[in-house]
Amino acid sequence: MTRVRLTARGIGAVLLGVPLVALGLWWRYPGVAGFGIALLALAGAGVVSVLSRAQVAPKRIVRPRTVQRLGVCTGVVELTGTSKRFPVWFDATDSVAGQVVAVDIPLLAPGQQVKVEYPIPTHTRGLLSVGPLTLSRRGLAGLAHATTVVGDVVEVRVVPRVLPVRGLPGGVRRGHVGADERVERGGTDLVGLREYVPGDDLRRLHWATSARTGTLMIREDADPARPHLAVVLDDHADGYASVADLEDAVEVAASLVTVAIAEGHPVRLVSWSGAVDVELPAGAVSADASVVLAALADLKAEPAERASVTRPLPIRDLDVVAVVCGAKAELSGLVLEAGRASVGVVLVVDPVSAVAVSAVGSVVVLRHVKAEGLLDAWNTAVSR
């Protein structure tokens, strides 16, 4: 759909031309009236010059649809001139999360095809609405312009950055699930049951459940060499000195969870308010990791007055517990939760602290101003 409007210059010409015509006729000054008529005629000619539809075939795409924060996301505009006589000049703007992004489009010659790429800002984590793209064609003397909307509104999900970090510490004992659910040989933990399929090892039959249900059930056990990782992210707004500190905390959580998934560890991510609770079993793949990143992308800072509703982590998740918070967080409850684990670590985004490693009981407390520094401290003090 194309809309034609006068520009500020065109409106000024009309506002000046109308009184000049009126005064010229009233005072019987043909020159003044003629000048006013000329201004009105010029404005009218500007409107007429853009009334006809531009001889151009526009197309707009955005890629990729999922990108890490500060990553590269690109909008592409393809214009094909179908006019055989006159070149066309466009101004273009795209809308990204309510903000206007200018698109520089060169003069489109008759029959020419132009492909213009422009960056989509990805500074803000979350779901961004991109579009529609607006093409504006200027008329004679810039007195009028016609705008055309190109492309639909598309959504781009900006997920947290995943920074390089080492995996979990070795030699961590697994949390006991219960004596009645332990395997007699192998020292592994029961993590699930499934129906028997031909070729399964009969030694892995779960006889109690098979007898109760009448269906042969195979137990799925976790490897004791792959401890659980539980990441607890404090998502309360009053726990952070700034919004940037919360972004760093989210990226620390995303990086720890991603490396644990890549190494085949069972993972649980939970926010301190309870808004996010995602659990992935051992052997999860990259597609499962994207679920965690999507949950973190949509995570919002909870208001200060909202009380924490997170339940204590179950025993099976208490191998390695990493609590991520800000400098203003109430550390007592967070340290207490981390202290229940075999390895408990609290990572604090502190805007006034350099690298600092301390301990509260058995819990290691790491402080740094940026996510990269906290993960480096994790590599040094935890994952050795």
Side-chain angles (χ1 to χ4, degrees):
M1 182 178 179
T2 302
R3 294 185 298 179
V4 177
R5 293 181 178 178
L6 290 172
T7 62
R9 184 183 300 177
I11 293 174
V14 172
L15 293 179
L16 180 60
V18 170
L20 286 177
V21 171
L23 292 175
L25 294 176
W26 178 262
W27 292 335
R28 298 182 180 180
Y29 288 151
V32 175
F35 184 63
I37 293 173
L39 288 176
L40 295 178
L42 193 60
V47 172
V48 171
S49 67
V50 294
L51 278 177
S52 60
R53 184 175 181 180
Q55 300 298 308
V56 63
K59 180 181 178 182
R60 193 283 306 266
I61 58 175
V62 176
R63 59 189 181 198
R65 296 295 183 86
T66 300
V67 61
Q68 291 190 14
R69 191 175 75 91
L70 303 180
V72 177
C73 182
T74 305
V76 180
V77 180
E78 296 181 2
L79 299 174
T80 303
T82 58
S83 173
K84 297 182 179 180
R85 290 186 176 182
F86 306 105
V88 184
W89 187 282
F90 285 104
D91 294 324
T93 58
D94 206 352
S95 175
V96 180
Q99 297 183 352
V100 176
V101 176
V103 182
D104 186 16
I105 297 181
L107 182 67
L108 186 63
Q112 182 185 8
Q113 185 176 22
V114 174
K115 183 177 181 180
V116 178
E117 296 186 358
Y118 59 98
I120 302 295
T122 57
H123 305 288
T124 305
R125 174 177 49 85
L127 199 61
L128 302 182
S129 296
V130 180
L133 179 74
T134 301
L135 294 177
S136 178
R137 182 163 53 102
R138 289 173 285 181
L140 179 65
L143 297 174
H145 67 120
T147 57
T148 303
V149 175
V150 179
D152 299 327
V153 177
V154 299
E155 291 183 337
V156 174
R157 187 180 297 276
V158 181
V159 300
R161 290 187 302 165
V162 176
L163 304 171
V165 62
R166 295 178 191 168
L168 304 188
V172 179
R173 67 172 178 84
R174 294 186 53 79
H176 294 282
V177 182
D180 57 334
E181 293 183 340
R182 299 287 292 180
V183 181
E184 294 181 2
R185 289 181 292 273
T188 54
D189 291 339
L190 174 68
V191 296
L193 296 172
R194 60 174 175 82
E195 290 189 15
Y196 170 83
V197 295
D200 283 336
D201 187 351
L202 294 178
R203 291 175 297 179
R204 298 177 59 201
L205 282 174
H206 195 274
W207 294 107
T209 304
S210 299
R212 185 171 61 253
T213 62
T215 302
L216 293 178
M217 302 297 292
I218 294 293
R219 62 184 301 133
E220 293 184 329
D221 302 313
D223 184 352
R226 300 187 184 279
H228 286 264
L229 170 67
V231 176
V232 180
L233 175 62
D234 183 14
D235 56 344
H236 288 94
D238 60 336
Y240 297 89
S242 66
V243 175
D245 288 351
L246 174 60
E247 294 300 322
D248 280 303
V250 171
E251 290 175 356
V252 168
S255 302
L256 293 176
V257 168
T258 301
V259 71
I261 292 174
E263 293 181 351
H265 296 282
V267 171
R268 184 172 187 178
L269 169 69
V270 58
S271 63
W272 192 242
S273 71
V276 173
D277 192 345
V278 181
E279 186 173 2
L280 296 178
V285 295
S286 57
D288 299 314
S290 65
V291 175
V292 177
L293 293 179
L296 288 174
D298 298 335
L299 181 138
K300 305 297 182 183
E302 297 293 342
E305 61 271 12
R306 178 169 177 175
S308 299
V309 296
T310 299
R311 298 177 181 178
L313 292 171
I315 294 176
R316 68 181 304 160
D317 291 332
L318 295 180
D319 296 336
V320 180
V321 173
V323 178
V324 188
C325 62
K328 295 185 177 181
E330 181 58 48
L331 285 182
S332 57
L334 300 174
V335 170
L336 183 63
E337 186 67 17
R340 298 174 58 226
S342 298
V343 174
V345 184
V346 176
L347 300 98
V348 184
V349 181
D350 190 342
V352 297
S353 175
V355 178
V357 179
S358 60
V360 179
S362 62
V363 177
V364 178
V365 180
L366 309 176
R367 294 179 180 270
H368 198 272
V369 296
K370 299 295 294 182
E372 294 86 346
L374 281 176
L375 295 176
D376 287 342
W378 169 280
N379 293 340
T380 302
V382 180
S383 180
R384 292 181 292 180

